[in-house]
């Protein structure tokens, strides 16, 4: 994870729903993808990148997070720190009760 957004406790706004937002930019042309999601309640959260065949390329989050809005940056590298090939990838946000999947196109 490159970054989380943070908000002071007094001004924290709790999202009403858990959701995964569209990646920016898409297609990813500069090797940097910005992923945003919100959690309505504290929950164990997994955010993973998959290749077109369904293999896990990178796990960005696998921990319990507080409610809030999160902004992450993925640098286009796999678990072994190698740059991924051009192609179609999927990113999935999973909690014990919900699962969201969206598609991204990675180009150079």
């Amino acid at each position: 994870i490159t970054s989380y957004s943070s908000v002071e406790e007094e001004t924290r706004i709790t999202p009403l729903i858990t959701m995964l937002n569209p990646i920016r930019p898409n297609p990813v042309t500069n090797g940097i993808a910005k992923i945003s999601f919100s959690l309505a309640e504290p929950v164990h959260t997994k955010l993973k990148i998959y290749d077109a065949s369904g293999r896990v390329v990178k796990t960005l989050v696998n921990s319990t997070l507080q409610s809030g809005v999160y902004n992450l940056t993925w640098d286009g590298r796999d678990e072994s720190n190698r740059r991924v090939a051009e192609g179609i990838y999927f990113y999935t946000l999973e909690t014990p009760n919900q699962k969201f999947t969206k598609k991204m196109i990675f180009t150079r």
Side-chain angles (χ1 to χ4, degrees):
I1 299 173
T2 304
S3 65
Y4 282 126
S5 64
S6 62
V7 180
E8 291 296 321
E9 199 61 39
E10 293 88 28
T11 60
R12 175 177 233 149
I13 298 171
T14 302
L16 297 176
I17 60 171
T18 296
M19 75 179 205
L20 178 62
N21 297 314
I23 202 162
R24 294 181 335 246
N26 197 7
V28 178
T29 56
N30 63 357
I32 303 295
K34 296 180 188 235
I35 303 170
S36 173
F37 63 93
S38 61
L39 299 173
E41 60 187 1
V43 67
H44 188 85
T45 305
K46 295 177 186 176
L47 180 65
K48 296 182 179 186
I49 310 290
Y50 295 87
D51 65 16
S53 67
R55 289 183 297 240
V56 175
V57 172
K58 182 77 172 184
T59 299
L60 298 173
V61 177
N62 186 9
S63 62
T64 299
L65 300 177
Q66 296 301 310
S67 61
V69 177
Y70 294 86
N71 297 295
L72 290 80
T73 302
W74 177 50
D75 63 1
R77 295 188 179 271
D78 66 12
E79 297 287 7
S80 299
N81 205 31
R82 295 178 302 226
R83 289 193 111 359
V84 299
E86 290 184 337
I88 296 174
Y89 292 85
F90 298 90
Y91 57 110
T92 299
L93 176 70
E94 186 175 354
T95 68
N97 299 320
Q98 294 177 294
K99 186 173 183 178
F100 304 91
T101 300
K102 295 193 181 283
K103 180 171 92 173
M104 76 171 105
I105 300 169
F106 206 88
T107 64
R108 298 225 191 305

